[in-house]
Amino acid sequence: MVVVDINGNAAKSVVAELESAGHEAIAVQTDVSSETDVKAMIEKTEAHFGRIDILHNNAAVLSIEQRQRDRDICNLDMDAWDRAIAVNLRGAVLCSKYAIPVMLKHGKGSVIYATSGLGAQGDLSLTGYACSKAALNMLPKSVAAQYGKSGIRANAVQIGLAPSENAHGSMPSELLDILRDNHLTPELGTPRQIADVVAFLASDESSFVTGTTIVADGGFGSHTPSLVAMREFFAKSGREGM
Ligand SMILES: NC(=O)c1ccc[n+]([C@@H]2O[C@H](COP(=O)([O-])OP(=O)(O)OC[C@H]3O[C@@H](n4cnc5c(N)ncnc54)[C@H](O)[C@@H]3O)[C@@H](O)[C@H]2O)c1
C-alpha cells in the first residue's frame, strides 16, 4: 500500500501502523494538486509494487484556516475557492489520470472518490468544498464510461458526518446533538464505518458496482427536512408519531 499525503509525517505514521500490523507500505509525500508531484508519486508506486489495483482519492483541504475562508458566496475568499478545487477536484483528476494507465496494463482496477453530503445539499458555508465534492459525483461516471470495458470500475462514497473520536472534542456538544437528531441511526458515523464501504468498493465483492455513488451518511440526507421538528412536535403533544 502507498500512503500519500501532503503531510509527510502523517503518511509515515500511517505506514508505521500498517507495518506493525504486518502489511507492506511506503509513504510518499505528495501535493495532489501538483501534476509533477502526482506523476512522480505514481512512478514511485509502480516502481515499488509493479502495479496499482486500487486508487482511493481521499485527500481534501480541510484545515481551519481553509474553512474560515471558504465561506458563503458573497464572502468567499477566491484563493480558498481555488485551493478547494485544486486539491479536492484537480487532485482526484490528476491521481486518476496517472494511476489508470498503470491499472490498464493489468486490465483491472477500482477507483474510489471521497465525496460529501455537502456536494449534494446546500449549506450555509464551504461553497468551494461543496462544489468540488459535487463534481466528484460526476467523475466516477466519466471514468466508468471511459474505461469500464477495459476492467476499470469507478465509484464515489458520499460521506456524512464521520468524525474521528478526537474531532468530537473540537465540536460543541449542542452542534453534535443537532446533527445526531438528524441522523436515522442511533449515533453519528465513525471513520471505520466509512472505511468498510471503501473496502467493499475496493474489493471484488463490488465487481458489478460502477459509475455510481454509495451514500454512507446514517440517513442524514434521506429524510424530509421537517422530520426532526415533527418528531419534537409529536413528543410535546403526547401523540403517536408516524
Ligand atoms: N470526516 C467526515 O465527517 C467527512 C465527511 C464528509 C466527507 N469527508 C471526506 O472524507 C475525506 C477524508 O476526510 P477526513 O475527515 O479524514 O479529513 P482529514 O483532514 O483528516 O484528512 C484529509 C487529508 O488530506 C491531506 N491533504 C490535504 N491537502 C492535501 C494535498 N494538497 N495533497 C495531499 N494530501 C492533502 C491532509 O493532510 C489530511 O491528511 C475527505 O475527502 C473529506 O472531504 C469526510
Side-chain angles (χ1 to χ4, degrees):
M1 186 182 299
V2 180
V3 181
V4 175
D5 204 296
I6 196 168
N7 179 341
N9 287 334
K12 279 184 196 154
S13 91
V14 174
V15 164
E17 274 184 55
L18 287 165
E19 284 176 340
S20 68
H23 302 291
E24 185 186 356
I26 58 167
V28 184
Q29 184 170 2
T30 306
D31 177 351
V32 295
S33 70
S34 156
E35 187 156 11
T36 311
D37 270 23
V38 171
K39 189 167 179 288
M41 177 272 289
I42 295 292
E43 282 168 3
K44 198 165 180 178
T45 301
E46 192 179 13
H48 189 95
F49 288 101
R51 57 188 295 144
I52 297 176
D53 301 299
I54 299 149
L55 168 64
H56 181 207
N57 291 287
N58 194 47
V61 55
L62 287 162
S63 63
I64 290 171
E65 194 217 352
Q66 169 72 16
R67 288 201 251 178
Q68 284 171 345
R69 296 185 307 141
D70 182 9
R71 299 176 59 188
D72 60 285
I73 195 91
C74 296
N75 295 295
L76 180 59
D77 177 331
M78 292 314 292
D79 287 339
W81 164 273
D82 288 345
R83 193 68 188 145
I85 299 297
V87 176
N88 309 351
L89 177 56
R90 177 183 157 92
V93 171
L94 282 173
C95 291
S96 307
K97 174 179 171 176
Y98 286 97
I100 289 169
V102 183
M103 292 175 168
L104 288 171
K105 289 181 191 173
H106 297 276
K108 194 175 177 196
S110 175
V111 185
I112 301 151
Y113 301 91
T115 182
S116 164
L118 290 181
Q121 295 170 294
D123 211 341
L124 300 173
S125 187
L126 294 178
T127 310
Y129 179 81
C131 291
S132 70
K133 292 296 183 181
L136 293 185
N137 284 313
M138 186 59 221
L139 194 54
K141 293 185 196 298
S142 298
V143 170
Q146 292 160 9
Y147 304 105
K149 290 287 185 196
S150 305
I152 310 297
R153 293 186 298 111
N155 295 287
V157 182
Q158 181 178 309
I159 305 165
L161 189 72
S164 55
E165 278 306 314
N166 51 4
H168 275 256
S170 67
M171 296 172 80
S173 62
E174 293 91 339
L175 191 60
L176 288 172
D177 287 344
I178 293 171
L179 293 166
R180 196 178 288 106
D181 280 351
N182 277 285
H183 278 64
L184 306 182
T185 46
E187 267 308 321
L188 299 174
T190 63
R192 176 65 205 217
Q193 286 171 310
I194 303 307
D196 286 341
V197 180
V198 173
F200 167 68
L201 288 174
S203 75
D204 287 345
E205 305 300 316
S206 62
S207 56
F208 204 49
V209 182
T210 194
T212 194
T213 296
I214 293 188
V215 179
D217 72 349
F220 187 76
S222 311
H223 59 75
T224 56
S226 57
L227 181 135
V228 173
M230 293 291 259
R231 193 196 283 140
E232 282 170 11
F233 170 78
F234 286 122
K236 267 190 214 148
S237 65
R239 283 154 56 189
E240 287 289 314
M242 286 177 281

